[in-house]
Amino acid sequence: GGSAMAAVRDVEIDPEGTFKYILVRLQRPGGGEQRDIVRGTKAAEFHNHIFEKLNPEMEKLGYECKCLGGGKIDHNSKDKKIRVFGLSTGYGKADHSVTVEILKKAYTDYEITWSDDKK
């Protein structure tokens, strides 16, 4: 049970730049364990592109995915700073404070901030 979910990384984002991200809840069908993960990449022109790639991968592992919203991430690896902001037109705004807590687990030595700014 827990091992497959543990194998899914909390965070997968591009190492540098500004790009769209989504906050996704993974859940076992019928309830039980659930967790939230962050995915973001410059390769995605729209937020749903990220979800459409992630969803089948997670379904194979036996999870239901629900997108909790989106936004943008500005990742500055040189200065070790991440800024979370903006929103997704299709999915609405993710709770950026939740996103920041998840990012902090993966980027422990970073300064990570969020705002409701559009840019």
Side-chain angles (χ1 to χ4, degrees), residues 2 6 10 22-25 31 37 40 44 46 54 68 74 77 83-84 91 96 101 118:
D10 287 327
I22 56 173
L23 182 62
V24 176
R25 176 156 293 163
I37 61 171
F46 299 105
L54 177 73
L68 301 178
D74 180 22
S77 54
R83 188 169 71 96
V84 185
Y91 294 121
H96 297 326
E101 290 311 309
K118 299 284 190 285

Side-chain angles (χ1 to χ4, degrees), residues 53-103:
K53 184 176 175 293
L54 177 73
N55 198 31
E57 292 171 8
M58 295 301 115
E59 281 182 343
K60 274 194 215 115
L61 296 173
Y63 299 112
E64 290 170 349
C65 289
K66 180 174 173 235
C67 187
L68 301 178
K72 284 187 168 176
I73 286 175
D74 180 22
H75 188 172
N76 181 336
S77 54
K78 188 168 66 73
D79 294 339
K80 295 199 169 182
K81 286 184 178 175
I82 293 176
R83 188 169 71 96
V84 185
F85 64 102
L87 53 84
S88 160
T89 316
Y91 294 121
K93 186 176 80 72
D95 185 339
H96 297 326
S97 63
V98 172
T99 302
V100 165
E101 290 311 309
I102 297 169
L103 289 169

